[in-house]
Amino acid sequence: MTKPITVLIVDNEPGFADLAGEMLERERDAIVAEAATNATAALEILEQREIDCIVSDYEMPRMTGLELLERVREDDPDLPFILFTGRGSEEIASEAIAAGVTQYLQKESGKEQYALLANQITNAVSQYRTETELRESERRYERTLTTLHETTRDLMRAGTKREIYQSAVDTAGEILDVPVAAAYTFEPTDGILAHAASMRESRELVDPEMQFEQGEGHVWEVFSEGESAYYEDVTRDADTKTLSRSELIVPLGTHGVLVAGTEDVDGFDETMTELLHILAANTEAALDRAEREQLLRDHDRTLTQQNEELTRLNHTNEIVREINHGVAQASTRTEIETTVCERLADTERYCFAWIASSDDEPSEPTAWAGIDAAFIDRIRDDGERAPEHSLVAETLETGRVQIVRNVLETDGWDRRRKEALTYGYQTILAVPLTDTERQYGVLLVHVAGVDSVGDSELEVLGELGETIGHAIRSVERTRAMLTDSRLELELAVYDSRLLLNRFTEHVEGAVTIEGIIERDDDVVMFVSTPETADITPLEEWASLETISIVSEGDDEILFEVTVTSSPILEILRTFDVQLRTATAQNGSTTLVLEVPQRVETRSLVEAIREGYPETELEARRETTSTRSARQLDTHLEERLTDKQFEALQAAHYSGFFEWPRESTGEDLADALDVTPPTYHYHLRAAERKLVTLVFDGQSN
């Protein structure tokens, strides 16, 4: 449909303007005529509505047609103006042309002149509109280029990729005047194009949750091929993800894509396409710049962190050297632990330090420095509820340095919030104190700040823990060589699987193991019970081979019990632990064990609990025997044969050396399954070697 042409006809003759307008409308359906009888009325109409062309007479009262033209040209120099006059002369024609009239036409009789006038009007208006649209297009293009230049400056000043994407889509919506503008960024980890930004006016049309996976939709296709594409009507592909009906998609290098859309079919012309390509190129350059700057910032941040960590590491190494020097001069485990804590606390790097022993359950502080006793008492009072208890257990279990990076935010550390704020720490390091054979405890170091401990520092502290562990082992070994110090543990076993506990189900009173002889194929135990008890009927048990009475006294009976195996004895043999006493009553057995210093108490107790879960550690005592006594034991074991040692053990455990004798040689020979002469031969040989060793230190 042709756009209407509004023509203003100005003539002072009443009725002529209306007649001329009617004739023009007959000639052209597109013409709509307005009439004015003087120039003043014409100017008023121009102010009130849009006029496409003016057809004016020359001679009019108060203002001629050319004077009207001058007034019109002041506001619109190009509006079509046709001088349609009955007064024709070369002088007027020249004057009209000089004044800038569009056409000059003399009034004549007949309707043919209106056909000519309508043709002139149509041509003039068409040219005027074309030139106006061209000028407007040029102005719009200039405004668009200005917007693009401003956007480019904004893009280059943007600090983040998110800001760049948002600026790009807002500019696309403004310069293209489209309802949909969005950007999608490539996420290499997930292999998808995710929504990065969309024009504010199009957020109701663009789902921010929409993403494009590999091979999905035109958006992914354009990104993967790296070539822009224009889809006049995307609804033709029913299965394709789309944002609008007509889409122009431009890749942003490896960063993602820029999408502009409209609901009109074929809604983009060449100019719009060119503008979006310019915008996309600027956006890609800005994204490249932002990525480079981010890499530089990350690099600078990494260097700063590395320098800070190197400084801290050098400081830590100095602390470690001081600790190693102090530990080397210490002669006891207590001195070592105290030195370590004091040296660590006496630095600006660490707030305070303390050591939890692995021999206690739950673990308790054994040495500390830089902190008052109230803090240590709080840990002891909390017992197994203390979060440090779990930290120590995890450190001992893994054998590696553990770290709590923020006490104020880590789960399970709520009860230490007040202490952390009071004493100014947030990070806790737990360092295992170990050597190749044993764990001695955990060193806990409290640090101010969060995320201030690097991997290198953790590694150095881990090596320090090993150094401390070796130092403790060295001083304990030296002490053992001088004093033969040993650890004595008292355990209560309630587990019904223990043989002595099973005996108490059939015996009123206490059942005691007086001694044990371990042989190649079986184990011989000398068990005493009250004189009223008789356990010989229990010989039918599958775990027992034989039960026989060795001696009967006024208060107790001594039995010889042979078993094929004993799990508890196997555990003790594995850890080189000696059973000193074992007494059972009412379903509970008390074991007293002698543990060498090199054996870790925790591991021994856990091993026993694996076989007998209902086991409790009742007491832990350190014992010291004389060197001469230990040497006597060692020399005696070296000089006696296995048979002689068994004969001597059996005589001792059965009361053979008591007076009156509680057992006879025949009883013991029968218990060891040998003949009486053989038993007496081995016993006398053992006695002779023992006496010789005591009096002159030599064996025969």
Side-chain angles (χ1 to χ4, degrees), residues 314-537:
N314 290 335
H315 186 44
T316 302
N317 284 328
E318 292 178 3
I319 297 172
V320 169
R321 281 193 292 270
E322 293 179 3
I323 292 175
N324 289 337
H325 179 71
V327 166
Q329 296 178 335
S331 59
T332 66
R333 176 174 177 175
T334 301
E335 290 181 18
I336 292 174
E337 293 181 347
T338 301
T339 299
V340 170
C341 293
E342 289 178 347
R343 297 294 172 87
L344 288 172
D346 191 26
T347 64
E348 295 181 357
R349 173 64 181 144
Y350 306 116
C351 298
F352 59 92
W354 56 283
I355 291 177
S357 173
S358 61
D359 295 333
D360 300 320
E361 186 64 34
S363 300
E364 288 192 357
T366 57
W368 59 90
I371 192 67
D372 55 41
F375 179 83
I376 301 301
D377 290 340
R378 177 68 185 275
I379 295 175
R380 286 173 171 166
D381 292 342
D382 287 345
E384 294 185 355
R385 297 176 300 164
E388 292 86 356
H389 172 68
S390 300
L391 178 60
V392 169
E394 183 180 2
T395 304
L396 293 173
E397 181 179 354
T398 61
R400 296 191 300 271
V401 178
Q402 302 296 315
I403 181 170
V404 179
R405 296 198 177 274
N406 191 348
V407 172
L408 301 179
E409 296 182 0
T410 303
D411 293 340
W413 287 84
D414 296 344
R415 64 191 311 118
R416 288 293 177 266
R417 179 179 179 84
K418 180 178 180 180
E419 285 79 2
L421 295 174
T422 301
Y423 299 107
Y425 70 88
Q426 285 181 268
T427 300
I428 302 178
L429 306 176
V431 183
L433 307 180
T434 64
D435 68 355
T436 55
E437 297 181 1
R438 181 181 171 186
Q439 293 179 320
Y440 295 96
V442 175
L443 169 65
L444 292 102
V445 183
H446 294 243
V447 187
V450 180
D451 293 331
S452 61
V453 180
D455 294 337
S456 299
E457 186 173 2
L458 293 178
E459 184 176 349
V460 170
L461 291 175
E463 294 175 356
L464 174 62
E466 294 179 1
T467 301
I468 297 171
H470 287 300
I472 293 176
R473 181 188 178 201
S474 177
V475 298
E476 288 192 345
R477 179 178 294 176
T478 301
R479 183 185 176 195
M481 292 175 61
L482 297 175
T483 64
D484 200 15
S485 174
R486 294 213 166 196
L487 189 65
E488 188 174 88
L489 300 182
E490 182 177 319
L491 302 176
V493 183
Y494 303 95
D495 202 294
S496 60
R497 286 174 289 184
L498 190 66
L499 183 61
L500 285 186
N501 286 342
R502 293 170 61 192
F503 280 167
T504 61
E505 297 176 1
H506 305 275
V507 175
E508 292 184 3
V511 179
T512 303
I513 294 181
E514 302 294 345
I516 297 175
I517 300 176
E518 297 188 42
R519 310 178 72 180
D520 294 336
D521 299 327
D522 51 32
V523 176
V524 178
M525 295 188 296
F526 293 91
V527 179
S528 63
T529 67
E531 76 283 356
T532 58
D534 184 8
I535 62 173
T536 53

Side-chain angles (χ1 to χ4, degrees), residues 113-134:
Q113 63 178 339
Y114 293 106
L116 178 59
L117 180 59
N119 187 55
Q120 289 180 347
I121 292 172
T122 303
N123 291 336
V125 170
S126 176
Q127 182 178 354
Y128 172 72
R129 287 178 174 176
T130 301
E131 292 175 353
T132 301
E133 290 178 359
L134 180 60

